[in-house]
Amino acid sequence: MKYALVTGGSRGIGRAISLSLSRMQYHVIINYVNNDEEAAITLQQIESEGNQASLMKFDVASLEQVESVLGTWMEENPDNLIEVLVNNAGIRKDALLMWMKDEEWFDVMNTNMNSFFYITRKLIKNMLVNRYGRIINIVSLSGIKGLPGQVNYSAAKAAVIGATKALAQEVGKKNVTVNAVAPGYIRTDMTKDLDEKALKAMIPMDRFGKPEEVSELVAFLASDKASYLTGEVISVNGGLYT
Ligand code: NAP
């Protein structure tokens, strides 16, 4: 059985990605940090379709937790190769830069950017040795065009876009691809405080997207079919000009 790790797989876009990858016969490791109930629902949905998954609770922003929880799993399961990594866990803590608190900056950088480093570094060696791997980073429209009130989030996502392009060049020779997916406005807990009615006026498709509209692209990038596609940032945003 081959494994896929989806960070932030308990809810929203991560849940849809976990479901999509499980349908590709991956055993999906669903990472999350707090919400046991939602994580259990994702696991149950996958199992009810006859596919396999398991839960792995750790804070992606904590190097110590990544090393202890993910590291221990790797030591105890030397034959279970994580072939697909989706760096999806993310948070936003919006504020105008002038008023931004230290923790609003550092929490967003740690969760959205440093997590990429901690987890990808940990998994990439086995992908290189195995000469196959798929890394998909969920970034954002904000990381491409920048959004006011989100200097922290835009900076973190832009950093991951740069990292995606650089890492793709490091590992392409070994058949490991690295791509980024940049959603626009997708209906999840993260966007439930936004005024969809007002914002959709800017979106050519006149609505927020659904998590499944992101996860289908991620599934393609995770598949064999995307074998010559690397270092790209693909937007899923209903036509919002970026
Ligand atoms: P969401 O509904 O708020 O879900 C966030 C997920 O990330 C949850 O599974 C949560 O786990 C997990 N998570 C948060 N902090 C974590 C941490 N420190 N360690 C481990 N897991 C953590 O968010 P979403 O809308 O699905 O967003 C998913 C990704 O898409 C994020 O990277 C986000 O920046 C990006 N994105 C979203 C949109 C959008 O419109 N929704 C647009 C552009 C980009 P718990 O359930 O345990 O809290």
Side-chain angles (χ1 to χ4, degrees):
M1 188 102 210
K2 289 175 176 163
Y3 285 71
L5 171 62
V6 181
T7 69
S10 54
R11 294 184 279 127
I13 294 171
R15 170 180 288 164
I17 293 171
S18 297
L19 274 154
S20 294
L21 295 181
S22 72
R23 291 175 191 135
M24 294 164 65
Q25 304 313 311
Y26 277 106
H27 178 117
V28 178
I29 302 171
I30 302 162
N31 157 261
Y32 68 106
V33 65
N34 281 319
N35 208 323
D36 299 312
E37 219 166 274
E38 294 293 321
I41 292 172
T42 308
L43 176 64
Q44 193 270 327
Q45 284 182 353
I46 290 175
E47 288 178 343
S48 72
E49 294 182 7
N51 296 317
Q52 290 191 32
S54 46
L55 302 180
M56 194 186 279
K57 186 174 182 176
F58 65 86
D59 179 356
V60 296
S62 158
L63 177 57
E64 202 194 327
Q65 289 189 30
V66 170
E67 290 295 331
S68 64
V69 181
L70 180 59
T72 301
W73 184 90
M74 290 169 72
E75 275 166 29
E76 289 175 353
N77 296 275
D79 299 327
N80 294 346
L81 189 74
I82 299 178
E83 194 175 85
V84 175
L85 165 63
V86 185
N87 287 304
N88 165 79
I91 54 167
R92 43 175 273 249
K93 291 196 174 179
D94 299 356
L96 294 175
L97 183 76
M98 198 167 97
W99 309 114
M100 192 173 284
K101 300 188 183 80
D102 287 356
E103 68 264 26
E104 288 167 338
W105 175 266
F106 289 111
D107 287 356
V108 167
M109 296 306 272
N110 289 337
T111 306
N112 294 285
M113 183 187 78
N114 289 338
S115 61
F116 160 84
F117 172 58
Y118 301 152
I119 297 169
T120 310
R121 179 180 61 175
K122 189 119 203 92
L123 297 185
I124 197 140
K125 186 168 160 237
N126 284 345
M127 293 183 189
L128 295 173
V129 170
N130 195 43
R131 295 183 164 268
Y132 186 84
R134 295 279 186 266
I135 298 167
I136 298 128
N137 301 317
I138 308 302
V139 293
S140 172
L141 174 75
S142 306
I144 299 174
K145 77 182 281 284
L147 282 180
Q150 293 194 328
V151 172
N152 50 356
Y153 184 81
S154 303
K157 295 296 192 183
V160 174
I161 289 174
T164 300
K165 294 177 182 179
L167 183 61
Q169 294 173 64
E170 285 188 12
V171 299
K173 230 186 281 180
K174 302 279 188 190
N175 207 23
V176 176
T177 67
V178 190
N179 290 290
V181 169
Y185 293 98
I186 307 298
R187 225 175 273 142
T188 67
D189 291 342
M190 187 180 268
T191 52
K192 69 179 178 215
D193 62 324
L194 302 180
D195 183 352
E196 180 171 347
K197 259 194 197 134
L199 285 166
K200 76 178 191 177
M202 298 185 318
I203 304 171
M205 295 200 74
D206 200 33
R207 62 175 175 87
F208 279 14
K210 295 180 279 195
E212 296 70 30
E213 291 173 316
V214 179
S215 72
E216 285 304 314
L217 172 61
V218 174
F220 170 69
L221 291 172
S223 77
D224 258 345
K225 295 172 197 156
S227 47
Y228 201 52
L229 206 170
T230 196
E232 285 298 322
V233 184
I234 305 177
S235 291
V236 188
N237 61 22
L240 259 175
Y241 187 66
T242 52

